[in-house]
Amino acid sequence: MSGRRRQGKTFLIEALAREVGGLYFGATEATETESLRLFAQALADYTQAAVPYRFADWDEAIRQLFAIGAERRTLIVIDEFPYLSKVSPALPSIIQREIDRAVSRETPISLLLCDSAMSVMGGLLSGSAPLRGRASMELVVRPFDYRLAARYWRLDDPRLAVLVHTVVGGTPAYLRFVNDETPSELGDFDDWVQSTALDPGTPLFREARHLMEEEADVRDTALYHSVLAAVANGNATRGGIAGYIGRKAADIGHHLNVLEDSGLLRREIDVFRPGRSVYRVCEPLISFYQVVMRPRWSLLENGRAAAVWRDARARFTAQVVGPHFEDMCRSFARTESLFGELPGEVGAGVVADTARRSQIEVDVAVFAATETGEPRRILSLGEVKWGTRMGSGHVDRLGRARDLLAAKGYDVRDTALTLYGGAGFDQGLTGARTFGLEELYSG
């Protein structure tokens, strides 16, 4: 079980362990000797042992743990597992051996390993790792989607819900980070941002930095922050990122991979040009930090939130809200049967218009499930605008893209032209389906 911090993993697994009468052990950063001592104490408390356990090494400790698990047939939870495996690299192999013994003896064990270091937890079950093939469940706890997040933050106004989600995303713990404070109406949003995310006195203020520092594979945090800043500021290709940070494209491959494995960055293939891709920041708070906070960090630390927010408000709308709203619209199209059937793929891409020497960006392209030997069938081509009222010009551009794709061999006979708008649509608009904020939140 893995997932970025603040998603509620520990809350869930502690509650589960209590419900089934299982053992929960939360590891800490400690030496192997101290970790063994803490583990022995937790095991003794759980079994109510008359004599405290003493383990010389993890080999002895895990054998005892599995013996207790087999006897009681209940759940065993080890949280923050990488703290243990970091100082005791043989621990996964020891667990693997005991799992195999339990299987061969038909004495099943229910063991749940959990942590927030996405790259480390993913590595436990990959390649030639000792635990590969031993897991019966691999669960990633993800943030709330935008609809559930709106309910959680008690937001009824969809426009306000988008803005709040653009700052804090769907991470449940962030509501506690701002002392349960939510904006009651759209006009309160600016004051709310200044008193929460931009206030040095709140835990949310430094959270974006902590998200990076907590990743085990991140060493040079300055360089990783620069990579995220490049993407958040619109330099989404590998070449664009390299140019922004002053490195060669070949030199940043490792850093991009680490950020992807950590769940902080994702690579998205251009759906019309498979050889090209762009990177997007996964965590809204990091985009907000990189665009709004990081360039004026010293001013914010000195309590100048109002001045910083006035200066950054336009950038926030263009570079944070706009791209985030596009991503929300793709999520909407991905989860709903809007066009007669569930989509096979939803993404974004660029259609080249060589006759006019231009390119048409398609923000939401919805494909039907692939059929062998048949041309790819496009269910919808969509454009997204957050702050611009949408009209016939947007429909015409999508129509042109549809014609160009037809010439390339795509099946566009039933392709719907679709507009997703945050600021409404012209009256009497025809030729396209329209989805506004109410539809995105009501389904």
Side-chain angles (χ1 to χ4, degrees), residues 35-77:
S35 293
L36 280 166
R37 186 182 304 125
L38 294 171
F39 181 77
Q41 183 62 55
L43 205 57
D45 292 344
Y46 175 68
T47 59
Q48 298 181 334
V51 180
Y53 292 109
R54 299 192 193 288
F55 299 128
D57 52 33
W58 278 110
D59 186 88
E60 182 182 351
I62 295 301
R63 277 191 282 110
Q64 182 64 47
L65 175 68
F66 272 62
I68 292 171
E71 176 187 349
R72 301 202 173 201
R73 298 295 179 94
T74 190
L75 177 68
I76 297 168
V77 178

Side-chain angles (χ1 to χ4, degrees), residues 190 192-202 204-209 285 287-313 315:
D190 289 350
W192 175 81
V193 168
Q194 294 172 54
S195 65
T196 55
L198 302 183
D199 182 353
T202 67
L204 194 61
F205 182 72
R206 291 178 173 80
E207 175 65 8
R209 290 189 166 193
L285 185 62
S287 292
F288 180 83
Y289 166 77
Q290 296 292 351
V291 173
V292 175
M293 300 176 68
R294 190 163 170 256
R296 298 287 186 269
W297 186 255
S298 60
L299 291 177
L300 288 171
E301 286 190 310
N302 289 324
R304 301 285 302 280
V308 170
W309 183 240
R310 281 196 302 270
D311 175 68
R313 192 60 165 85
R315 293 199 310 277

Side-chain angles (χ1 to χ4, degrees), residues 66-362:
F66 272 62
I68 292 171
E71 176 187 349
R72 301 202 173 201
R73 298 295 179 94
T74 190
L75 177 68
I76 297 168
V77 178
I78 301 179
D79 198 5
E80 307 288 1
F81 181 73
Y83 286 153
L84 303 180
S85 60
K86 181 180 180 180
V87 295
S88 306
L91 184 54
S93 296
I94 295 170
I95 292 176
Q96 173 232 313
R97 183 197 65 203
E98 294 304 314
I99 288 175
D100 292 346
R101 284 180 177 175
V103 170
S104 66
R105 296 169 182 170
E106 298 184 349
T107 54
I109 184 81
S110 296
L111 175 64
L112 177 60
L113 305 179
C114 181
D115 193 63
S116 302
M118 302 283 284
S119 56
V120 177
M121 294 301 289
L124 286 176
L125 304 177
S126 65
S128 58
L131 294 177
R132 178 173 173 78
R134 270 77 182 181
S136 58
M137 180 191 75
E138 184 176 0
L139 176 64
V140 178
V141 178
R142 304 188 185 280
F144 294 158
D145 66 35
Y146 65 90
R147 287 176 181 165
L148 184 55
R151 291 170 52 197
Y152 184 74
W153 284 77
R154 307 182 299 277
L155 301 170
D156 297 324
D157 182 337
R159 190 170 188 84
L160 179 58
V162 172
L163 293 174
V164 171
H165 195 266
T166 301
V167 178
V168 295
T171 299
Y174 291 164
L175 184 59
R176 176 168 48 84
F177 279 23
V178 298
N179 297 317
D180 208 37
E181 179 184 346
T182 61
S184 57
E185 57 186 30
L186 192 60
D188 296 333
F189 176 73
D190 289 350
D191 290 338
W192 175 81
V193 168
Q194 294 172 54
S195 65
T196 55
L198 302 183
D199 182 353
T202 67
L204 194 61
F205 182 72
R206 291 178 173 80
E207 175 65 8
R209 290 189 166 193
H210 294 331
L211 288 175
M212 177 71 70
E213 293 163 358
E214 289 167 346
E215 283 301 325
D217 287 342
V218 171
R219 298 292 183 266
D220 183 359
T221 57
L223 181 55
Y224 285 94
H225 274 298
S226 293
V227 171
L228 290 171
V231 178
N233 283 282
N235 303 280
T237 65
R238 179 180 287 219
I241 296 168
Y244 183 90
I245 66 177
R247 297 289 181 96
K248 294 180 180 178
D251 296 338
I252 61 171
H254 171 72
H255 305 85
L256 293 172
N257 290 336
V258 168
L259 290 172
E260 282 190 82
D261 292 342
S262 303
L264 299 178
L265 204 64
R266 69 174 180 271
R267 184 169 70 97
E268 295 184 356
I269 303 296
D270 186 316
V271 294
F272 302 119
R273 302 178 298 176
R276 303 189 185 187
S277 59
V278 296
Y279 289 89
R280 303 189 194 279
V281 177
C282 298
E283 173 54 55
L285 185 62
I286 287 182
S287 292
F288 180 83
Y289 166 77
Q290 296 292 351
V291 173
V292 175
M293 300 176 68
R294 190 163 170 256
R296 298 287 186 269
W297 186 255
S298 60
L299 291 177
L300 288 171
E301 286 190 310
N302 289 324
R304 301 285 302 280
V308 170
W309 183 240
R310 281 196 302 270
D311 175 68
R313 192 60 165 85
R315 293 199 310 277
F316 169 72
T317 300
Q319 297 173 222
V320 184
V321 183
H324 186 74
F325 185 56
E326 290 179 13
D327 197 53
M328 289 175 63
C329 292
R330 284 188 287 272
S331 296
F332 174 67
R334 190 175 293 116
T335 57
E336 304 292 344
S337 300
L338 302 175
F339 308 103
E341 58 188 278
L342 285 175
E345 180 184 7
V346 176
V350 174
V351 180
D353 189 345
T354 54
R356 299 180 182 178
R357 296 183 180 180
S358 64
Q359 294 182 329
I360 302 173
E361 294 186 9
V362 178

